Structure formats: C-alpha cells, structure tokens
C-alpha cells in the first residue's frame, strides 16, 4: 500500500475543493446500548464495533466513514462490509463517480484534524467538515492510482480479514487456557 499512497501524495494538484462540493456527508443514527443484540448487522460507533442490531444495514460494503466524536474525531475509515453506524460517525458519499478507495485516500490526505473542535469532548461537525479543502488530482492520475492500487486493495482486505480471524482464534484459545 505504500506505493499507492506515494502515488497519491506526489500528484500535481489539479483542483482544490471544499468537502461540501465533493461529498454528501450525513450523521449515523442514535443507537441506545439497550437496543444492541448479540447477532445481526454490526453496529459501529466512534471506537469501532459496539455490538449488533436487527435494524437494516445503513452503509453498503466498502463505505467511507469519519469519526465525529471523541478522541478519534477526524479519523477516516473504510468499512469492509455493510454496517449500522451510530451518530458518532459521519458517512461520506462522493458526488462524482470514483471508487471509495480513492475517496478514502483523498480524505486521508486532507487536513480534517484542523476542523475538529472542542477540548473536553472533541467533535467534528458536518458544518466544520464541509469547509475542509481536498486536493483532487487530474483524471490521468486518478486512473493510474486506480490501476496501481487495485492489487493493494485486495491485499489490504485479505490482511484485515486474516487479522480478524487471528484475533478471534487468540481470544478463543485464551478463554480455554484461563477457564
């Protein structure tokens, strides 16, 4: 993935636009902990997965989200599968045809942290995030990026899945050793 990131960082800026011109941004939904279940659709909050719900999936696979509350405010994430997201996350949808992988890379390069406010409880509001400037490469650079990053994206998801399986195996083994 380093090569893909290097290509993205070393492009000549074609345009700089505010988030509001490039993306539709929305908050997730409120999810009281009492409504969480042990199976179903994964529910994600500011610090990752917090449980499951029987509510429908809010985001399709490979959606881009940004933490909007807490110490991780401004963190850009790419979700691997459909999830329900709490109002501690913002969902990002491009107004222009491009991959979510490219959107994720663009936003990772933007100064989102500069839009985070609050000292006791950091937060990223849609209003503040809308003014963040994103540098957009020309179409040839985006095409080159997509070609080079396709294999990296597959490796990225395979590694993420392997880490998840290894973590689950470790946790299972530890419970058996302790119990």
């Amino acid at each position: 993935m380093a090569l893909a990131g290097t290509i993205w960082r070393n492009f000549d800026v074609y345009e700089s636009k505010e988030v509001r011109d490039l993306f539709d941004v929305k908050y997730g939904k409120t999810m009281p902990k009492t409504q969480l279940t042990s199976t179903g659709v994964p529910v994600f909050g500011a610090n990752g997965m917090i449980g499951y719900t029987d509510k429908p999936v809010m985001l399709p696979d490979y959606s881009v989200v940004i933490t909007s509350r807490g110490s991780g405010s401004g963190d850009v994430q790419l979700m691997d599968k459909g999830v329900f997201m709490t109002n501690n996350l913002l969902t990002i949808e491009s107004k222009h045809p491009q991959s979510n992988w490219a959107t994720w890379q663009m936003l990772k390069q933007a100064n989102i942290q500069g839009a985070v406010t609050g000292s006791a409880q950091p937060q990223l509001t849609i209003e503040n995030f809308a003014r963040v400037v994103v540098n957009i490469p020309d179409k040839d650079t985006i095409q080159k990026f997509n070609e080079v990053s396709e294999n990296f994206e597959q490796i990225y998801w395979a590694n993420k899945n392997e880490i998840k399986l290894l973590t689950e195996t470790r946790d299972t083994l530890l419970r058996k050793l302790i119990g």
Side-chain angles (χ1 to χ4, degrees):
M1 271 192 308
L3 179 60
T6 301
I7 289 171
W8 200 261
R9 281 189 287 279
N10 293 333
F11 67 82
D12 292 326
V13 174
Y14 177 69
E15 253 183 305
S16 294
K17 289 190 173 188
E18 290 185 341
V19 163
R20 74 178 94 228
D21 299 324
L22 299 170
F23 307 105
D24 288 322
V25 182
K26 298 175 187 163
Y27 285 108
K29 304 282 186 203
T30 302
M31 172 62 70
K33 289 187 178 186
T34 57
Q35 292 183 5
L36 294 175
T37 61
S38 58
T39 61
V41 174
V43 177
F44 277 78
N47 294 318
M49 193 169 100
I50 60 172
Y52 297 90
T53 184
D54 55 4
K55 295 183 185 260
V57 169
M58 290 178 61
L59 299 174
D61 295 353
Y62 311 114
S63 293
V64 178
V65 299
I66 298 179
T67 305
S68 63
R69 288 189 181 77
S71 62
S73 292
D75 290 349
V76 183
Q77 304 168 58
L78 188 60
M79 308 303 281
D80 62 338
K81 57 184 171 183
V83 299
F84 183 95
M85 61 179 234
T86 70
N87 57 346
N88 293 324
L89 295 172
L90 300 173
T91 180
I92 314 302
E93 293 180 32
S94 179
K95 293 180 180 179
H96 307 282
Q98 67 188 26
S99 71
N100 283 346
W101 187 264
T103 296
W104 182 46
Q105 291 298 320
M106 267 193 234
L107 291 172
K108 284 175 45 174
Q109 305 305 318
N111 181 19
I112 297 172
Q113 295 300 323
V116 174
T117 59
S119 55
Q121 175 68 11
Q123 68 174 348
L124 178 65
T125 64
I126 290 176
E127 182 179 313
N128 289 348
F129 179 56
R131 292 190 299 264
V132 170
V133 174
V134 178
N135 293 326
I136 307 162
D138 61 66
K139 289 180 182 181
D140 290 339
T141 302
I142 289 177
Q143 182 178 355
K144 183 178 178 184
F145 175 81
N146 287 335
E147 290 168 7
V148 170
S149 67
E150 188 175 328
N151 290 334
F152 291 111
E153 186 175 357
Q154 292 171 2
I155 293 167
Y156 174 83
W157 292 118
N159 286 345
K160 254 191 115 142
N161 288 332
E162 187 171 356
I163 289 168
K164 181 181 175 193
L165 289 172
L166 289 169
T167 301
E168 289 170 359
T169 302
R170 178 204 61 204
D171 293 348
T172 299
L173 290 172
L174 281 174
R175 278 193 298 275
K176 288 182 179 185
L177 286 171
I178 294 171

